[in-house]
Amino acid sequence: MEACAVGACSALRPDDYITATHRGHGHCIAKGGRLALMMSELLGKATGYCKGKGRSMQIADVDAGILGANGIVGGGIGIATGAALSARLRGAGQVCVCFFGDGGFNQGALYECANLAAIWKLPVIYLCENNKYAMSTPVASATAVADLTARAAAFGMPGINVDGMDAIAMREAVFEAAERGRRGVGPSLVVADTYRYEGHNVGDGQRSDRAVRGGMPSGRVGDRGRHQPHRGGSRHRVTCRGRICSRQPRANRGSGHARRRPVRVSAATAATDRELTISRALNEALREEMRRDPSVFLLGEEIGVWGAGGGIFGVTLNLIQEFGPERVRDTPISEEAIAGVACGAAVTGMRPVAGIMYVDFTALAMDPIVNQAAKLRYMFGGKARVPMVLRAQEGAGRGNAAQHSQSLEAWFTHVPGSKVAVPSTPCDAKGLLKTAIRDDNPVIFLEHKALYGTRGVVPEEEYLVPFGSARIAREGEHVTFVGIHTLVHRALAAADRLQSEGVSMEVIDPRTLVPLDIETIVRSVRKTRRLVIGHEAVERSGFAAEIAMQVMDRAFDYLDAPIRRVCGRNVPIPYNLGLERLAIPQEEDIITAVREVVRGAV
């Protein structure tokens, strides 16, 4: 199969990009990868391409345009499409070749991304190495269409079939497709008919006899030969000259290299009477950052065409009029493509702000969010940045029923590599979004649909709200309440009522969950000696449990009462407004919980 990689990469410029399949050693070498670094990576050495963090499946060299092999079948498709969009927006004249196997042809990411690339005429080449087997499954058993190039017609792009065993033919086909992309004509599909002589892995019992059954010359198999057992024992000994296999430091298990703090600028404290809604504050943040940094762009469903171009909640209102359709990009309803393209664009120099209309729909985009964006910086040994923001709105209270009302922040806090912001006021919404856009790591930015109309003071001067800095919304003496989104506002209303009973409640808004400012929460608990935590998300495995455990670890001896949670019921959100109200915590639920933990203390 080496002819595919050698022929294709020889047709590219040094600054062009590729994404590879897992164990894409040939692609890496053909694109100019350095053997010493590659072999060190395969051995898990700190001197490897990715400092031993990526290994064979994720080998990468961003400087050489190698955007990573990928352990997920089809995982590089969104990244490649995003890299092509980045090249287009930067006017760099680059193209990206996306290598994938015939198994990747049946991944939904290909169809979402190919459609997007065709609409936007992106310079990307989808190159299928059809080696006749997806792991151990013959291609004829996995697709009803024998001619894989026929699928290109559905996207209005050319489909080219090439002898993948002929490096010259591969070079010519890829060169033609690359020139087409550079001219702005659009993407191409190249299907390279090749063959895999060995099984997918050592556990694959179907070995090199496939070549005979597949009609390939048996002499090619004989030339390769079989591994002979090492005479000194049952295990093979890997030897090579030079420094590659010399004693080298093992990769550091820590991940400190993958975290660069954003500029920590506190929110402005200047007096102002200007009030904005959260929706307007977010719009202002986007506008200011797009004016400040030309690499910032938006993509998402109906962010430019809905009404006056503001999306369903008006956050992107009129931005397309100022910045145009190149930087405010309406997409098809293709969540996996939106997230994957954002990831690829971020790795290659842009700062995308991707919008998923409802957080419920992120389930359709989990691979690029969780397996790609969140992990690339670490897997690439800290040598890549992924400065992307994924905005979504969550929460109940509008009668939107079970598939449009969930609160899923806990999903994302469980994934190392991403940050999670949960603003509840206009001032924080603007300051946190600006910080998120400037961060070099992926940020999941969750807004609550019921709070878009909430008004509050927002300074006119430039300011940022740093991540990992909780806000004490109200000081108190007898109990601490930590709330997310709407629970902050309900807690403040509850605190007013409890004050008349002689109960002084401190209310804390964490503002970000990753990183979490646990120090502020612990200091409050050491003062009040009681803690109640609330969010709309279901109680089971919700983030309240994480906060409670961290407080127990740090302040158990200070607690005078058990920690209480005021969270959503463990049921899907109902459509009926009365039932919906019962499913999510209300002001009365907070008051009841607080009364129980302070009983007899005041």
Side-chain angles (χ1 to χ4, degrees):
M1 292 174 59
E2 289 85 353
C4 292
V6 171
C9 290
S10 70
L12 301 178
R13 297 185 339 200
D15 64 337
D16 287 333
Y17 299 113
I18 68 166
T19 60
T21 59
H22 61 291
R23 296 192 291 270
H25 314 138
H27 307 108
C28 180
I29 296 170
K31 187 61 172 68
R34 289 180 283 173
L35 291 177
L37 294 178
M38 189 180 79
M39 291 304 298
S40 291
E41 186 62 33
L42 299 189
L43 295 172
K45 301 294 185 179
T47 51
Y49 260 126
C50 306
K51 300 183 180 180
K53 304 291 177 64
R55 78 177 183 122
S56 177
M57 278 194 181
Q58 288 85 31
I59 196 162
D61 182 358
V62 177
D63 292 337
I66 304 166
L67 303 182
N70 213 291
I72 306 297
V73 174
I77 293 171
I79 296 171
T81 308
L85 174 59
S86 170
R88 160 86 170 268
L89 292 173
R90 291 181 287 106
Q94 299 159 294
V95 300
C96 184
V97 175
C98 175
F99 291 96
F100 61 96
D102 47 276
F105 239 117
N106 299 316
Q107 287 287 331
L110 176 62
Y111 299 94
E112 290 192 21
C113 291
N115 181 57
L116 197 68
I119 293 169
W120 291 348
K121 301 187 182 306
L122 299 181
V124 59
I125 302 165
Y126 299 107
L127 200 163
C128 174
E129 296 175 306
N130 182 13
N131 64 22
K132 309 301 186 287
Y133 293 92
M135 295 187 67
S136 297
T137 303
V139 67
S141 300
T143 177
V145 179
D147 181 9
L148 299 181
T149 61
R151 302 188 185 187
F155 305 108
M157 69 175 72
I160 308 159
N161 192 268
V162 189
D163 180 358
M165 311 294 278
D166 185 337
I168 301 302
M170 285 297 306
R171 174 184 170 85
E172 292 173 350
V174 172
F175 183 84
E176 181 181 343
E179 289 305 301
R180 184 175 186 271
R182 295 189 214 280
R183 294 196 307 270
V185 181
S188 301
L189 171 66
V190 176
V191 177
D193 286 323
T194 181
Y195 204 80
R196 191 180 77 210
Y197 290 107
E198 300 290 338
H200 176 75
N201 58 16
V202 294
D204 187 344
Q206 301 180 32
R207 304 292 289 179
S208 54
D209 61 325
R210 284 177 169 164
V212 178
R213 292 187 287 105
M216 301 302 290
S218 60
R220 296 192 183 185
V221 180
D223 291 342
R224 290 172 57 87
R226 290 182 179 273
H227 294 295
Q228 298 298 321
H230 180 59
R231 296 177 184 230
S234 61
R235 299 189 64 182
H236 295 287
R237 178 178 176 82
V238 179
T239 60
C240 60
R241 296 183 179 181
R243 300 174 57 191
I244 300 172
C245 296
S246 60
R247 294 183 61 85
Q248 300 176 28
R250 288 285 176 181
N252 191 322
R253 293 186 180 182
S255 58
H257 63 78
R259 289 289 163 262
R260 178 195 284 179
R261 292 181 179 273
V263 178
R264 294 184 61 85
V265 182
S266 298
T269 57
T272 177
D273 294 328
R274 188 181 73 138
E275 286 194 350
L276 299 178
T277 63
I278 285 183
S279 178
R280 178 68 183 279
L282 292 168
N283 178 275
E284 198 170 81
L286 292 171
R287 190 181 303 274
E288 290 178 6
E289 291 304 295
M290 293 179 77
R291 287 173 178 172
R292 185 188 65 85
D293 185 349
S295 70
V296 178
F297 74 99
L298 316 181
L299 71 160
E301 300 161 6
E302 307 205 353
I303 61 173
V305 299
W306 183 289
I312 60 174
F313 293 103
V315 173
T316 55
L317 183 68
N318 294 327
L319 293 180
I320 195 169
Q321 280 81 358
E322 179 173 349
F323 301 103
E326 282 290 285
R327 294 183 66 194
V328 182
R329 307 185 73 90
D330 278 309
T331 69
I333 301 175
S334 302
E335 285 81 8
E336 186 169 6
I338 292 168
V341 166
C343 178
V347 173
T348 53
M350 301 300 290
R351 289 187 177 270
V353 181
I356 301 293
M357 194 175 287
Y358 288 81
V359 76
D360 315 69
F361 306 162
T362 59
L364 298 166
M366 276 301 188
D367 176 61
I369 296 171
V370 172
N371 287 326
Q372 309 302 332
K375 294 180 172 60
L376 286 187
R377 190 169 188 179
Y378 182 86
M379 291 191 306
F380 290 4
K383 296 179 180 179
R385 300 180 304 162
V386 192
M388 62 174 277
V389 178
L390 191 140
R391 291 183 48 244
Q393 51 83 16
E394 64 174 9
R398 292 168 48 95
N400 292 147
Q403 294 176 334
H404 288 70
S405 303
Q406 297 173 92
S407 293
L408 301 177
E409 63 274 357
W411 282 11
F412 303 104
T413 64
H414 195 64
V415 181
S418 294
K419 299 181 179 182
V420 181
V422 285
S424 66
T425 69
C427 181
D428 287 347
K430 179 180 178 179
L432 288 171
L433 183 54
K434 288 168 71 72
T435 298
I437 292 171
R438 300 184 192 190
D439 201 294
D440 285 339
N441 301 280
V443 177
I444 309 299
F445 198 90
L446 300 175
E447 305 146 16
H448 196 291
K449 63 173 66 67
L451 296 180
Y452 279 122
T454 300
R455 301 186 67 85
V457 172
V458 178
E460 292 191 51
E461 59 267 33
E462 168 76 7
Y463 73 96
L464 302 175
V465 175
F467 281 13
S469 177
R471 175 177 68 94
I472 300 177
R474 178 184 178 124
E475 293 188 354
E477 299 296 329
H478 299 131
V479 61
T480 298
F481 185 92
V482 179
I484 297 173
H485 279 151
T486 54
L487 270 293
V488 176
H489 299 272
R490 290 172 190 157
L492 290 172
D496 288 337
R497 293 172 58 184
L498 288 165
Q499 191 68 44
S500 64
E501 302 176 16
V503 177
S504 173
M505 182 167 74
E506 184 148 295
V507 179
I508 296 177
D509 178 356
R511 301 201 284 200
T512 61
L513 304 182
V514 180
L516 176 67
D517 182 5
I518 192 65
E519 290 79 12
T520 293
I521 296 171
V522 167
R523 280 197 301 271
S524 177
V525 170
R526 287 173 175 169
K527 176 180 68 173
T528 66
R529 309 183 79 83
R530 298 168 186 82
L531 176 62
V532 179
I533 312 164
H535 52 59
E536 282 191 16
V538 296
E539 181 181 81
R540 184 172 56 236
S541 301
F543 198 71
E546 175 65 22
I547 295 175
M549 194 64 231
Q550 290 200 36
V551 170
M552 291 281 283
D553 284 343
R554 293 167 172 82
F556 175 78
D557 290 340
Y558 290 84
L559 290 168
D560 285 345
I563 298 173
R564 286 291 308 272
R565 290 179 290 172
V566 182
C567 305
R569 308 297 190 268
N570 294 314
V571 298
I573 299 295
Y575 162 65
N576 177 278
L577 290 176
L579 292 176
E580 181 186 52
R581 181 177 173 83
L582 291 174
I584 59 177
Q586 303 297 324
E587 186 179 322
E588 289 295 337
D589 298 311
I590 297 172
I591 291 173
T592 298
V594 170
R595 284 172 176 163
E596 290 178 358
V597 298
V598 300
R599 183 174 296 149
V602 294

